[in-house]
Amino acid sequence: MMKVKRYGSDNEIELLPCPFCGSDPQVVYTGNDLRESRAVTIQCSNSGCRISRTDRTLRKTFSWLEDIAVNGWNMRVN
């Protein structure tokens, strides 16, 4: 499990490796707390894999959006 700092905080979030190739994920933030539109993209760091997940919101905070994105990325089928 990889740990990444949360947006604007010293707390960390834990991300599982890429479900397809096992590489570490990267987190990309679009927008800021002053803009209405925000997005969090979690993507595989392996350039050959190209898997990513983007979640967007208009009115919620980055903290809320991070939780949604991380839960989706970390979801695995048994």
Side-chain angles (χ1 to χ4, degrees):
M1 205 169 270
M2 180 181 173
K3 293 187 178 189
V4 179
K5 284 195 177 236
R6 290 182 80 95
Y7 179 83
S9 173
D10 289 335
N11 296 334
E12 295 179 330
I13 51 178
E14 294 183 347
L15 295 170
L16 292 174
C18 174
F20 297 100
C21 72
S23 296
D24 287 337
Q26 298 173 325
V27 181
V28 178
Y29 298 95
T30 305
N32 58 41
D33 287 331
L34 301 176
R35 292 186 56 180
E36 186 174 301
S37 177
R38 297 169 190 89
V40 174
T41 300
I42 301 176
Q43 61 191 20
C44 179
S45 61
N46 178 356
S47 61
C49 186
R50 299 178 54 187
I51 189 74
S52 68
R53 173 193 173 89
T54 301
D55 291 282
R56 300 178 190 281
T57 185
L58 291 176
R59 293 184 174 85
K60 302 286 185 175
T61 64
F62 265 122
S63 178
W64 178 86
L65 191 55
E66 277 178 330
D67 291 339
I68 298 298
V70 168
N71 287 337
W73 179 267
N74 287 341
M75 186 181 301
R76 301 291 194 263
V77 177
N78 292 334

